[in-house]
Amino acid sequence: MSVYQIAVLPGDGIGPEVTREAERAILAAADEFSFEVKLEHWPIGGTALDQFDTPFPDATRDACLAADAVFLGAIGGPKWDHETGSRRCEAALLSLRKALGGYANLRPVIVPESLVESSPLRAERVAGTDLLIVRELTGGIYFGTPRSSTEEKASNAMVYSRGEIERIVRIAFDLARKRRGRLTSVDKANVLEVSQLWRSVVTEIHNAEFSDIELEHLYIDNAAIQLILRPSQFDVIVTGNLFGDILSDLAGTLPGSLGILPSASIGGKVGLFEPVHGSAPDIVGKGYANPAGALLSAVMLLQMLGEMEASARIQHGVVKALEDGILTYDLGGTASTLEFSNAVLEHAFTISTTTV
Ligand code: NAD
Ligand code: IPM
Ligand code: MN
């Protein structure tokens, strides 16, 4: 029987609320498909800062590096927003990502038929949307040096080396080949040298290795509007760290809520799985955070472990629960976190959640 060690980092705000549901799904999947998971909790973010005086304790980093996969809820919140430098919750998340090394952050965005009406955009525009944002995660302006800050002046540098661009772009082209054969690369090559290098490396790799893939280049400002005007025409989108961060939140409007977007960071020592959303301080503790993004991140985690059937069943459960109209508040419904995830588990597995 396969045994998997999963480091679970619930974090702050609604992080623990949605992580709990992802864990239930993973445990139910393990039960049904006869594999074993060891879920060990580790502190990160504001909760860790309060308890251990650092948002990223060494013990958390070591446990993550020793695990088969890492699941993270969310970090940050107003209580810790005054912190600076390495005491910031966000810095802890960036250190975790860097330590694990997963430079390719996959953020799929699907608008199932059942959510077409939840979107703030017109139904005919969002129907059929099935795209994948491949965001570079361990470089760019988030990590570029020099970086500096004084009372009078602060600066960050958007830096990409040829090697960093080549590896993320190859992953994106590969994924496009397995999907609908189209790749959109997003940059700001009309202004930034770093984007000019990005664009020419994408074009070189396209010509040399992936000429069967249909490639388009868009500037980030235009990409933002095209994502809203013609979302269903995108297949794979590849872009740098900052542009990918912004585009993926924007893409959350397509299905109606950021709360349903999952992510997986691959290519490093250990895979990291986290919903795209943050700690949602405005709804924490109310019991109606949407756990779909976390559940779909668990789907991606199980896929990475090779537990394809278990993964597909949870995904099926999410789709079915949405089809049944079990919608949380962010999607215009009245279901609680627990009601939604109970519906998912009932569809996914032969268990009755009334006893869970
Ligand atoms: P956010 O994603 O936390 O919230 C944005 C909006 O979306 C809020 O109105 C929130 O209620 C809603 N929302 C988000 N997730 C939801 C869910 N699962 N169900 C229902 N509604 C949901 O972004 P923010 O408010 O800009 O950031 C809050 C904090 O979270 C900040 O400290 C930020 O740095 C942090 N953050 C962390 C992560 C992460 O841990 N990966 C990601 C983004 C933001
Ligand atoms: C995300 C978040 C993070 C990011 C923050 C919290 C560091 O917004 O995962 O999208 O910018 O990458
Ligand atoms: Mn973000």
Coordinates of all heavy atoms in Angstrom, one line a residue, residues 254-293:
L254 N -14.2 35.1 -13.8 CA -14.9 34.4 -14.9 C -15.9 33.4 -14.4 O -17.1 33.4 -14.7 CB -13.9 33.7 -15.9 CG -12.9 34.7 -16.5 CD1 -11.8 33.9 -17.2 CD2 -13.6 35.6 -17.5
P255 N -15.5 32.5 -13.4 CA -16.5 31.6 -12.8 C -17.3 32.3 -11.7 O -18.2 31.6 -11.1 CB -15.7 30.4 -12.3 CG -14.3 31.0 -12.0 CD -14.1 32.1 -13.0
G256 N -17.0 33.5 -11.4 CA -17.8 34.2 -10.4 C -17.1 34.4 -9.1 O -17.6 35.2 -8.2
S257 N -16.1 33.6 -8.8 CA -15.4 33.8 -7.5 C -14.0 33.2 -7.6 O -13.7 32.1 -8.1 CB -16.1 33.1 -6.4 OG -15.3 33.1 -5.2
L258 N -13.1 34.0 -7.0 CA -11.7 33.6 -6.8 C -11.6 32.3 -5.9 O -10.7 31.5 -6.0 CB -11.0 34.7 -6.0 CG -9.5 34.7 -5.8 CD1 -8.8 34.5 -7.1 CD2 -9.1 36.1 -5.2
G259 N -12.7 32.1 -5.1 CA -12.7 31.0 -4.2 C -12.7 29.6 -4.8 O -12.5 28.7 -4.1
I260 N -12.9 29.5 -6.1 CA -12.9 28.2 -6.6 C -11.6 27.8 -7.4 O -11.5 26.8 -7.9 CB -14.1 27.9 -7.5 CG1 -14.0 28.5 -8.9 CG2 -15.4 28.3 -6.9 CD1 -15.0 27.8 -9.9
L261 N -10.7 28.8 -7.5 CA -9.5 28.5 -8.3 C -8.4 27.8 -7.5 O -8.0 28.2 -6.4 CB -8.8 29.8 -8.8 CG -9.7 30.7 -9.7 CD1 -8.8 31.7 -10.4 CD2 -10.5 29.9 -10.7
P262 N -7.9 26.7 -8.0 CA -6.8 25.9 -7.3 C -5.5 26.2 -7.9 O -5.4 26.9 -9.0 CB -7.2 24.5 -7.7 CG -7.8 24.6 -9.1 CD -8.4 25.9 -9.2
S263 N -4.4 25.8 -7.3 CA -3.1 25.9 -8.0 C -2.2 24.8 -7.5 O -2.3 24.2 -6.4 CB -2.5 27.2 -7.7 OG -1.7 27.2 -6.5
A264 N -1.2 24.5 -8.4 CA -0.1 23.5 -8.1 C 1.2 24.1 -8.6 O 1.2 24.7 -9.7 CB -0.4 22.2 -8.9
S265 N 2.2 24.0 -7.7 CA 3.5 24.5 -8.1 C 4.4 23.4 -8.3 O 4.7 22.6 -7.3 CB 4.1 25.5 -7.1 OG 3.1 26.6 -6.9
I266 N 4.9 23.2 -9.5 CA 5.7 22.0 -9.9 C 7.1 22.4 -10.5 O 7.3 23.5 -10.8 CB 4.9 21.1 -10.9 CG1 4.6 21.9 -12.2 CG2 3.6 20.6 -10.3 CD1 4.3 21.0 -13.3
G267 N 7.9 21.4 -10.6 CA 9.2 21.6 -11.2 C 10.3 21.6 -10.1 O 11.5 21.7 -10.5
G268 N 9.9 21.7 -8.8 CA 10.9 21.8 -7.8 C 11.1 20.5 -7.0 O 10.7 19.4 -7.6
K269 N 11.7 20.5 -5.8 CA 11.9 19.3 -5.1 C 10.6 18.7 -4.6 O 10.5 17.5 -4.6 CB 12.8 19.7 -3.8 CG 14.1 20.2 -4.2 CD 15.0 20.4 -2.9 CE 16.1 21.4 -3.1 NZ 15.8 22.8 -2.6
V270 N 9.7 19.5 -4.1 CA 8.4 19.0 -3.6 C 7.3 19.9 -4.1 O 7.4 21.1 -4.2 CB 8.4 19.1 -2.0 CG1 7.2 18.5 -1.5 CG2 9.7 18.4 -1.4
G271 N 6.2 19.2 -4.6 CA 5.1 20.0 -5.1 C 4.3 20.7 -4.0 O 4.2 20.2 -2.9
L272 N 3.9 22.0 -4.4 CA 3.1 22.8 -3.4 C 1.7 23.0 -4.0 O 1.6 23.5 -5.1 CB 3.8 24.1 -3.2 CG 3.1 25.2 -2.4 CD1 2.8 24.8 -1.0 CD2 3.9 26.5 -2.4
F273 N 0.7 22.8 -3.2 CA -0.7 22.9 -3.6 C -1.4 23.9 -2.8 O -1.4 23.7 -1.5 CB -1.3 21.5 -3.6 CG -0.6 20.6 -4.5 CD1 0.6 19.9 -4.0 CD2 -0.9 20.4 -5.8 CE1 1.4 19.1 -4.9 CE2 -0.1 19.6 -6.7 CZ 1.0 19.0 -6.2
E274 N -2.0 24.9 -3.4 CA -2.7 25.9 -2.6 C -3.8 26.6 -3.4 O -3.6 26.8 -4.6 CB -1.7 27.0 -2.1 CG -0.6 27.4 -3.2 CD 0.2 28.6 -2.8 OE1 -0.2 29.4 -2.0 OE2 1.3 28.7 -3.3
P275 N -4.9 26.9 -2.8 CA -5.9 27.7 -3.5 C -5.3 29.0 -3.9 O -4.4 29.5 -3.3 CB -7.1 27.8 -2.5 CG -6.5 27.5 -1.2 CD -5.3 26.6 -1.4
V276 N -5.8 29.6 -5.0 CA -5.3 30.9 -5.4 C -5.6 32.0 -4.5 O -4.9 33.0 -4.3 CB -5.8 31.2 -6.9 CG1 -5.5 32.6 -7.3 CG2 -5.2 30.2 -7.9
H277 N -6.8 31.9 -3.8 CA -7.3 33.0 -3.0 C -6.4 33.2 -1.7 O -5.6 32.3 -1.3 CB -8.7 32.8 -2.6 CG -8.9 31.6 -1.7 ND1 -8.6 31.6 -0.3 CD2 -9.4 30.3 -2.0 CE1 -8.9 30.4 0.2 NE2 -9.4 29.6 -0.8
G278 N -6.6 34.3 -1.0 CA -5.9 34.6 0.2 C -6.7 34.2 1.4 O -7.6 33.4 1.4
S279 N -6.4 34.9 2.5 CA -7.0 34.6 3.8 C -8.3 35.2 4.1 O -9.0 34.9 5.1 CB -6.0 35.0 5.0 OG -5.8 36.4 4.9
A280 N -8.8 36.0 3.1 CA -10.2 36.5 3.1 C -10.6 37.0 4.5 O -11.6 36.5 5.1 CB -11.2 35.5 2.6
P281 N -9.9 38.0 5.0 CA -10.2 38.5 6.4 C -11.7 39.0 6.6 O -12.2 38.9 7.7 CB -9.3 39.7 6.6 CG -8.3 39.6 5.5 CD -8.8 38.8 4.4
D282 N -12.3 39.4 5.5 CA -13.7 39.9 5.6 C -14.7 38.8 5.9 O -15.8 39.1 6.3 CB -14.1 40.7 4.3 CG -13.8 39.9 3.0 OD1 -12.9 39.0 3.0 OD2 -14.4 40.2 2.0
I283 N -14.3 37.5 5.7 CA -15.4 36.5 5.9 C -14.9 35.4 6.9 O -15.5 34.4 7.1 CB -15.8 35.8 4.6 CG1 -14.6 35.2 3.9 CG2 -16.5 36.8 3.7 CD1 -15.1 34.2 2.8
V284 N -13.7 35.7 7.5 CA -13.1 34.6 8.4 C -14.1 34.3 9.6 O -14.7 35.2 10.1 CB -11.7 35.1 8.8 CG1 -11.7 36.2 9.8 CG2 -11.0 33.9 9.5
G285 N -14.2 33.0 9.9 CA -14.9 32.6 11.0 C -16.4 32.6 10.8 O -17.2 32.1 11.7
K286 N -16.9 32.9 9.6 CA -18.3 33.0 9.4 C -18.9 31.6 8.9 O -20.1 31.4 8.9 CB -18.7 34.0 8.4 CG -18.2 35.4 8.8 CD -19.2 36.5 8.2 CE -19.0 37.8 8.9 NZ -18.2 38.8 8.2
G287 N -17.9 30.7 8.5 CA -18.4 29.4 8.1 C -18.9 29.3 6.7 O -19.4 28.3 6.3
Y288 N -18.7 30.3 5.9 CA -19.1 30.2 4.5 C -18.1 30.5 3.5 O -18.4 30.7 2.3 CB -20.4 31.0 4.2 CG -20.4 32.5 4.6 CD1 -19.6 33.4 3.8 CD2 -21.2 33.0 5.6 CE1 -19.6 34.7 4.1 CE2 -21.3 34.4 5.8 CZ -20.5 35.2 5.1 OH -20.5 36.6 5.3
A289 N -16.8 30.3 3.8 CA -15.7 30.4 2.8 C -15.9 29.2 1.8 O -16.3 28.1 2.2 CB -14.4 30.2 3.5
N290 N -15.7 29.5 0.6 CA -15.8 28.5 -0.4 C -14.6 27.6 -0.4 O -13.5 28.0 -0.6 CB -15.9 29.2 -1.8 CG -16.3 28.3 -2.9 OD1 -16.2 27.1 -2.8 ND2 -16.7 28.8 -4.0
P291 N -14.8 26.3 -0.1 CA -13.7 25.4 -0.1 C -13.3 24.8 -1.4 O -12.4 23.9 -1.5 CB -14.2 24.3 0.9 CG -15.7 24.2 0.6 CD -16.1 25.6 0.2
A292 N -14.0 25.2 -2.5 CA -13.8 24.6 -3.8 C -12.3 24.7 -4.3 O -11.7 23.8 -4.8 CB -14.7 25.1 -4.9
G293 N -11.7 25.9 -4.1 CA -10.4 26.1 -4.6 C -9.4 25.2 -3.8 O -8.5 24.6 -4.4

